[in-house]
């Protein structure tokens, strides 16, 4: 993908409103609780930074970084932990924050690992969801936007480590020059 076309899918205002709604719902659902918010690096870093500022219950944050074995363009489902959590999840209400759920294989693996550590509860919040691509039985508890099978970048999401800093969520596709007249 040398030349690419980038179209805005959700702009700054769309995302701001959506993150506020998610934060409000999470705050209501966890009233009286203390949360451990676990961000999955790197894609979740911007979404998580905005979302935690919309959550009003006490919370701690931690991060996990994983990589999947195999081909880079699609998840193989075999996940290796590159950076593990700093804190124990035992008896904690854990909320995993992910940028996008695609096949669901990564989150299936992560939730399986964390469940062995005896948390009080585990839920998932993702900004974006591509349900048509699902291979694993994973349903996020909080979903910003359900999107079709398109590759998106920006607001933390990358293509080959680029575009994470774009403030909008954009669809990226190979650029096709117009046919000569
Ligand atoms: P899954 O295991 O297939 O659900 O993989 C999810 C991960 O794949 C996400 O955390 C992203 O890092 C990456 N991913 C999936 N779809 C996209 C996309 O459209 N843009 C950028 N990254 C994506
Ligand atoms: Mg990711």
């Amino acid at each position: 993908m040398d030349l690419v076309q980038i179209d805005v899918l959700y702009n700054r205002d769309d995302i701001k409103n959506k993150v506020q709604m998610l934060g409000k719902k999470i705050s209501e659902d966890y009233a009286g609780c203390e949360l451990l918010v676990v961000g999955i690096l790197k894609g979740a870093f911007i979404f998580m930074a905005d979302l935690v500022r919309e959550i009003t219950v006490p919370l701690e944050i931690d991060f996990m970084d994983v990589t999947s074995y195999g081909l880079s363009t699609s998840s193989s489902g075999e996940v290796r932990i590159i950076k593990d959590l700093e804190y124990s999840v035992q008896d904690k209400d854990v909320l995993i924050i992910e940028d996008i759920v695609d096949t669901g294989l990564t989150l299936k693996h992560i939730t399986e690992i964390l469940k062995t550590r005896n948390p009080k509860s585990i839920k998932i919040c993702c900004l974006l969801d591509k349900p048509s691509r699902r291979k694993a039985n994973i349903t996020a508890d909080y979903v910003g936007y359900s999107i079709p099978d398109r590759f998106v970048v920006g607001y933390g999401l990358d293509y080959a480590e680029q575009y994470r800093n774009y403030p909008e969520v954009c669809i990226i596709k190979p650029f096709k020059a117009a046919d000569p007249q």
Side-chain angles (χ1 to χ4, degrees), residues 5-121:
Q5 184 178 332
I6 292 180
D7 299 322
V8 173
L9 181 62
Y10 302 114
N11 66 28
R12 290 175 191 242
D13 284 342
D14 298 330
I15 298 169
K16 191 168 180 223
N17 291 335
K18 185 61 80 175
V19 171
Q20 278 175 353
M21 282 169 55
L22 288 169
K24 189 165 178 284
K25 180 82 173 81
I26 290 166
S27 303
E28 287 166 5
D29 291 355
Y30 286 95
C33 302
E34 288 184 27
L35 266 179
L36 177 60
V37 180
V38 171
I40 308 302
L41 294 171
K42 302 173 198 167
F45 82 112
I46 293 179
F47 175 44
M48 178 165 169
D50 285 345
L51 182 64
V52 292
R53 284 178 283 182
E54 300 295 340
I55 299 178
T56 52
V57 299
L59 60 82
E60 295 172 338
I61 65 165
D62 207 343
F63 293 97
M64 200 166 183
D65 194 0
V66 295
T67 188
S68 55
Y69 295 106
L71 298 170
S72 58
T73 45
S74 65
S75 215
S76 66
E78 284 301 307
V79 168
R80 185 165 58 92
I81 298 176
I82 300 173
K83 185 216 167 294
D84 205 341
L85 298 176
E86 192 176 333
Y87 304 119
S88 164
V89 300
Q90 181 146 4
D91 301 324
K92 297 269 177 73
D93 287 307
V94 176
L95 180 63
I96 299 173
I97 311 293
E98 200 23 326
D99 50 359
I100 185 164
V101 186
D102 187 24
T103 64
L105 292 167
T106 308
L107 272 176
K108 181 168 182 283
H109 234 82
I110 289 173
T111 50
E112 274 171 7
I113 292 168
L114 294 186
K115 273 178 192 163
T116 65
R117 302 179 185 178
N118 302 317
K120 189 168 157 197
S121 68

Side-chain angles (χ1 to χ4, degrees), residues 104-153:
L105 292 167
T106 308
L107 272 176
K108 181 168 182 283
H109 234 82
I110 289 173
T111 50
E112 274 171 7
I113 292 168
L114 294 186
K115 273 178 192 163
T116 65
R117 302 179 185 178
N118 302 317
K120 189 168 157 197
S121 68
I122 299 189
K123 283 192 186 180
I124 296 167
C125 174
C126 62
L127 178 68
L128 302 163
D129 189 11
K130 285 192 213 170
S132 64
R133 297 249 316 155
R134 202 69 96 249
K135 289 184 186 160
N137 184 20
I138 282 285
T139 308
D141 302 276
Y142 304 96
V143 177
Y145 298 100
S146 195
I147 62 168
D149 183 11
R150 308 297 294 274
F151 201 84
V152 286
V153 295

Side-chain angles (χ1 to χ4, degrees), residues 169-180:
V169 173
C170 304
I171 293 178
I172 187 170
K173 54 192 172 194
F175 179 76
K176 287 200 187 88
D179 288 337

